[in-house]
Amino acid sequence: MAMSQAANLAEKAMGHHGNAITEQDITNPARDRAKYGDPSGETMKALCWMGKNTVKVESVPKPRVVEDRDVILKVTGSTVCGSDLHLLHGSVIQMEKGDILGHEFCGVIESMGSAVTNHKVGERVVASFQIACGDCMYCKKKLSSQCEKTNSNSTENMMYGGNTAGMFGYSHFTGGFAGGQAEYVRVPCGDVNLLKLPDNVPDEKGLYLSDVLCTSWNCVVDTGVKEGDVVAIWGAGPIGQMCAEYSFTNGASRVIMIDGGPASWRLDFCKEKMPKVETLNYTSLPRTKTVTAALKEMVHGGPDVALECVAGEYAKGWAHYFELMLGMETDTSEIVNEMITSVKNFGRCGITGVYVGYTNHFNIGSLMERGIRLIGNGQAPVHLYWEKLLSMIQNGETDPMQMLSHRVSMDELEIVYDKFNKREDHMQKVAITYTSKSSKEQVQDLIQRIDALENGSAAAMAIQDDLRDADAPQRIVSAVIAKRSFYLKDDDSQSEPHIDILVNNAGCELVKPLGAITPADFASVYDLNVRAALLMTQAILPHLGPRSRIVNLSSVGARCGFANLSVYCSSKAALEGLTRCCAAELGKDGHTVNAVSPGPTQTEMMDNIPKELVAMQKSQTPVENRVGTVGDVAQVVCWLCEEGSRWVSGQVINASGGWTMY
C-alpha cells in the first residue's frame, strides 16, 4: 500500500504525458459533482474501493455526459472478476479511496453525446473492459487493449515502456475511469466501445463478452493452441475454465487443469462441466513431488502448451511470500517457472493472469536452453474477438452460463468480495442483477403488505431472474422450495413443501411491421411469452399441492388482429392454446389451468403500445370508457385462484371492461 500511495504522489508530481483524447481520473463523479455529476442531482449505488481489503456500496452522484462521444449506460448486468481482487488487495498501484470498481458490464443506453451516431437511446449493449479511441494504429487493427489515446498515465509508461488502453474501474494506473459495479456508468468513446446485444442473447450471456470470454479466447489463440496439443492450465477459475473449453474448440487432444488449496473445489466444478478435462490438485501431491514431475508422469515430455490463468500476487513458497511482503518484488515467478519446466522442449507458455511489475528468481536458463516460447498474452483486445464470440453464443457453440454459480444484488457486493477472495461458498462466477428503483420499491412494499397480513403463511420472498433463460424456471422453483423447506422444518403437519398457485405474468411486446420482423425478434418474444410459461409449469409439476391453480396472463390481442403487433398477438394466442392443453392434462388431479385476457391496462408496457390504438380501445370500452387498472385484472386472477373457481378450467377469462366479448 505504501508503494501504491507513493506511486500516486509521483504521478501527481510528474503529471500525465498528454496523449489521451478523453479526460482522465474520473473514477467517481463525486470527485467534482458539479462537473461530472448528473444535473438532476440524482444519485446511484456504486461499489467503491475504500482502502486495502475494504470495499463498500456507497451512494454517489449519477454520471453525466462530459464529452461529446460519451454514453451514459444504465447498467443491467455486471460481475466480479478475479482481477478485481488485485485491486482489493492493493496489488495494483494508484488506487484512491472512493474509486468505483468493475470492468465487466452491460446495460441500456440512457443518454449520449452529440458525436455518437451509431447507437440509440434504449439500445441494449455490452461494454468492452478497455476504452479504445477507434482510430490509432492499434485500434485500426482492433487491438483495442493497447489503444494509444485513452491512458496518459506517466508511471505506467515508464514501467512498461508504453501505455495500455484506459480501463474501466481499474485504478488511475490505467487512466482512472469509474467502473461498472454501479447502477450507471459513463462510457467514454461510446461510439467505439459498445456492442449491440441482439434480442436472443440475454444480459447474463452478453455480459461476459466484456472480458472473460474474450480474455480466455485470446489466451488460447495467442499462445497458439492447435490440433492435437496437450494443454495444461494453471488456475481453475472462470478464465481457466473457459480456456479449457476454447482449447478443445481449437483442437487440443487433452486439457489438464491445475489448482489447489482453498480453491481445490474449482477442479471438481470444471470437471462437472467438462468431463473430459483432467485435473491435478497440487495440495494432494506428496511433499517430494512437484507439479512439473506430476505433469511429466501424465504426459511424456510434458504438455505442449501451458496457460497461466492465476496471477503473480499469490506466493506458494516462503521466499516469495516475504519478498512480496517487503516490496522486494511485485509478482512471484513460481507459477511461470513451473510452466517453463513442465512443457516439452520448444513448448509454449502463455501468461494471461495479471502481473503488474517485477519478479525475482526467474528461470531464464530453462527458457533459453530448452527453447521455450514465453508469451505475454497482454490485456485481451476485446474488439478483435467479441463479434465472433457473440456469434458463437447465438449459435450455441459456447455457453458462458456454465461459469455462473451465483446471482447477487448490488447490496450484497461487500460480502461477495469477501467470499470470492476466500474462495468460499463455491463461488466461481457471479452475475450482479439490477432492477429499477420503482420495481424494487414495489416488490418490497408488496412483501411488507403480505407479511403484515399475519395469516399464518410463510414469509414472502423476492426472486429475480431472466425468464428468457431456459434454466431460470428451475432456479426460481428451487429457491421457492428451499425457502418453504426452511419455514416448514419445525412444522410436523407438512412433510414436504409444495406450491399451490402459479401465475405466469412475465411478458413483452414487440411493435414492428411484418416485413421488419427478424428471427431474433420472434425468439425473444416467444421465449418469454410462451416458452417461459411452459417451463415454469414444468418446473412446478413435482411440487404441486392438492388442487393447485395455474393462471396465465394473456391479452385481448390473442384474438384480435392489430397491425405491427403480429408476433406479440400470436404469442398470446399460443399461450391460450397452451393453457387449454395443460388444463386437459392436469385436471385429473384436481388442478385447474386458466388464462386471463386483459384489455389495455395501465402498466409500463402500455408506453410501447401505439397511442392511437390505446385511444381507440378506450372509446370502445363499454365500462367507463377507460383502460383497466392492475387491480381490475388482479381481482379476476385472484378469483381463479380461490376455491370457488374449482369447476372452471381451460378457460380464457376476458378482463377488458367489455371491449371484446366472447
Side-chain angles (χ1 to χ4, degrees):
M1 278 303 296
M3 182 184 296
S4 181
Q5 300 311 312
N8 267 329
L9 293 173
E11 181 69 25
K12 288 174 181 176
M14 290 184 294
H16 297 330
H17 60 90
N19 62 308
I21 61 166
T22 184
E23 187 161 350
Q24 308 282 282
D25 301 313
I26 314 179
T27 50
N28 188 325
R31 291 172 72 91
D32 188 335
R33 184 182 295 264
K35 186 176 181 181
Y36 306 130
D38 190 87
S40 68
E42 187 177 346
T43 60
M44 66 173 183
K45 289 182 180 178
L47 188 78
C48 300
W49 187 85
M50 304 304 285
K52 186 176 181 179
N53 295 324
T54 305
V55 293
K56 188 175 181 181
V57 176
E58 296 273 273
S59 179
V60 304
K62 175 184 170 182
R64 70 184 298 170
V65 169
V66 177
E67 299 164 340
D68 61 4
R69 293 178 68 188
D70 285 354
V71 168
I72 301 301
L73 207 61
K74 177 179 172 58
V75 180
T76 56
S78 61
T79 186
V80 179
C81 177
S83 59
D84 288 326
L85 297 179
H86 311 318
L87 303 173
L88 178 70
H89 302 151
S91 299
V92 176
I93 61 173
Q94 295 185 356
M95 290 296 294
E96 295 184 11
K97 185 176 181 179
D99 288 353
I100 298 174
L101 301 179
H103 57 271
E104 294 180 87
F105 56 92
C106 64
V108 175
I109 295 176
E110 181 172 271
S111 61
M112 306 180 295
S114 59
V116 182
T117 58
N118 59 334
H119 292 292
K120 60 184 179 180
V121 172
E123 204 168 76
R124 288 176 59 243
V125 292
V126 60
S128 64
F129 76 87
Q130 62 239 202
I131 300 162
C133 73
D135 63 6
C136 71
M137 70 172 180
Y138 294 113
C139 289
K140 287 177 180 177
K141 299 176 183 178
K142 293 193 174 183
L143 302 177
S144 47
S145 60
Q146 306 303 323
C147 175
E148 295 178 292
K149 298 182 179 180
T150 56
N151 178 14
S152 60
N153 187 277
S154 296
T155 308
E156 188 194 53
N157 188 52
M158 286 193 301
M159 284 181 64
Y160 296 165
N163 284 104
T164 63
M167 297 178 196
F168 288 104
Y170 219 75
S171 89
H172 298 263
F173 192 64
T174 61
F177 297 93
Q181 288 165 8
E183 293 179 309
Y184 294 88
V185 64
R186 167 183 168 258
V187 180
C189 304
D191 53 330
V192 174
N193 296 298
L194 297 171
L195 178 68
K196 183 178 179 181
L197 291 176
D199 290 336
N200 63 349
V201 175
D203 288 352
E204 281 193 348
K205 291 185 178 182
L207 158 66
Y208 299 116
L209 291 165
S210 206
D211 178 2
V212 57
L213 298 186
C214 295
T215 295
S216 302
W217 185 265
N218 180 65
C219 179
V220 170
V221 300
D222 189 54
T223 311
V225 174
K226 63 182 187 299
E227 193 75 29
D229 278 343
V230 177
V231 179
I233 299 173
W234 273 254
I239 297 289
Q241 180 183 350
M242 296 311 296
C243 279
E245 177 185 320
Y246 295 153
S247 291
F248 285 126
T249 300
N250 282 276
S253 59
R254 296 172 63 189
V255 174
I256 304 166
M257 303 192 75
I258 302 131
D259 214 322
S264 298
W265 60 265
R266 301 194 303 192
L267 294 170
D268 295 329
F269 184 95
C270 294
K271 181 75 171 177
E272 180 183 351
K273 304 295 182 181
M274 291 175 287
K276 58 184 177 180
V277 158
E278 301 168 57
T279 61
L280 175 57
N281 186 338
Y282 65 79
T283 48
S284 298
L285 294 175
R287 295 188 65 179
T288 55
K289 180 175 284 189
T290 64
V291 169
T292 294
L295 285 171
K296 296 204 172 188
E297 286 182 359
M298 297 173 73
V299 186
H300 177 69
D304 301 286
V305 178
L307 305 178
E308 202 280 8
C309 302
V310 185
E313 68 161 300
Y314 303 109
K316 294 175 72 174
W318 287 110
H320 284 281
Y321 174 83
F322 284 113
E323 288 173 6
L324 286 168
M325 186 176 67
L326 296 172
M328 298 169 65
E329 64 178 358
T330 59
D331 304 278
T332 172
S333 59
E334 290 161 291
I335 290 176
V336 177
N337 285 342
E338 281 184 355
M339 293 163 59
I340 290 170
T341 56
S342 295
V343 294
K344 289 182 172 69
N345 293 2
F346 297 106
R348 305 179 301 284
C349 300
I351 302 177
T352 279
V354 172
Y355 286 70
V356 297
Y358 304 96
T359 188
N360 298 326
H361 316 295
F362 175 64
N363 194 345
I364 195 169
S366 178
L367 181 83
M368 182 270 157
E369 296 290 349
R370 299 174 56 237
I372 308 303
R373 272 60 172 166
L374 181 62
I375 302 162
N377 301 127
Q379 297 289 349
V382 170
H383 295 194
L384 187 61
Y385 305 121
W386 61 353
E387 290 171 335
K388 174 183 175 67
L389 290 164
L390 174 60
S391 177
M392 289 173 64
I393 292 173
Q394 290 179 289
N395 296 334
E397 297 172 52
T398 187
D399 183 9
M401 301 301 288
Q402 65 179 289
M403 297 179 289
L404 185 62
S405 60
H406 293 70
R407 289 175 175 81
V408 300
S409 69
M410 273 286 300
D411 296 326
E412 299 174 280
L413 279 182
E414 296 169 36
I415 298 171
V416 167
Y417 263 73
D418 184 58
K419 287 187 175 182
F420 199 49
N421 184 39
K422 295 175 180 176
R423 307 291 191 264
E424 291 180 347
D425 200 21
H426 289 195
M427 187 173 285
Q428 177 78 338
K429 192 69 172 175
V430 305
I432 305 167
T433 56
Y434 296 76
T435 58
S436 68
K437 291 183 179 179
S438 61
S439 65
K440 284 183 181 179
E441 292 166 358
Q442 290 170 11
V443 169
Q444 291 306 315
D445 177 64
L446 180 60
I447 288 174
Q448 290 172 7
R449 287 161 58 193
I450 293 171
D451 289 345
L453 294 173
E454 297 182 352
N455 60 358
S457 64
M461 64 185 295
I463 303 170
Q464 182 182 349
D465 215 319
D466 182 357
L467 280 167
R468 283 194 177 95
D469 179 357
D471 296 326
Q474 191 58 58
R475 290 193 297 264
I476 292 168
V477 172
S478 297
V480 171
I481 294 300
K483 187 72 175 276
R484 291 285 294 153
S485 298
F486 174 80
Y487 282 103
L488 292 175
K489 63 184 179 182
D490 297 322
D491 185 352
D492 295 331
S493 66
Q494 299 186 64
S495 58
E496 293 291 336
H498 61 270
I499 294 172
D500 299 298
I501 298 169
L502 168 65
V503 179
N504 284 311
N505 186 39
C508 66
E509 80 290 320
L510 177 73
V511 182
K512 267 191 177 183
L514 192 61
I517 296 167
T518 67
D521 291 332
F522 184 89
S524 178
V525 174
Y526 269 72
D527 283 354
L528 187 58
N529 292 3
V530 185
R531 188 182 72 174
L534 170 64
L535 296 181
M536 281 298 302
T537 302
Q538 286 181 328
I540 69 165
L541 289 179
H543 310 289
L544 283 176
R547 303 168 72 90
S548 293
R549 305 284 187 261
I550 299 173
V551 181
N552 297 321
L553 269 292
S554 181
S555 165
V556 294
R559 303 190 188 190
C560 297
F562 295 127
N564 301 326
L565 285 167
S566 57
V567 175
Y568 172 73
C569 291
S570 63
S571 73
K572 291 301 184 180
L575 181 63
E576 292 183 3
L578 177 67
T579 298
R580 289 187 284 271
C581 294
C582 289
E585 286 194 45
L586 300 179
K588 65 182 183 297
D589 296 318
H591 309 310
T592 67
V593 187
N594 292 286
V596 174
S597 178
T601 305
Q602 194 62 57
T603 66
E604 291 180 1
M605 285 182 67
M606 183 175 284
D607 295 337
N608 295 323
I609 301 297
K611 298 294 185 289
E612 62 274 13
L613 179 58
V614 175
M616 179 270 290
Q617 290 175 322
K618 282 183 181 181
S619 67
Q620 296 180 1
T621 300
V623 180
E624 301 177 344
N625 296 127
R626 65 174 176 83
V627 298
T629 67
V630 172
D632 293 332
V633 179
Q635 292 280 1
V636 180
V637 173
C638 288
W639 177 74
L640 287 171
C641 296
E642 292 175 359
E643 179 62 19
S645 69
R646 65 184 180 275
W647 205 238
V648 178
S649 192
Q651 304 304 308
V652 178
I653 307 300
N654 185 311
S656 66
W659 184 78
T660 55
M661 299 182 185
Y662 45 77

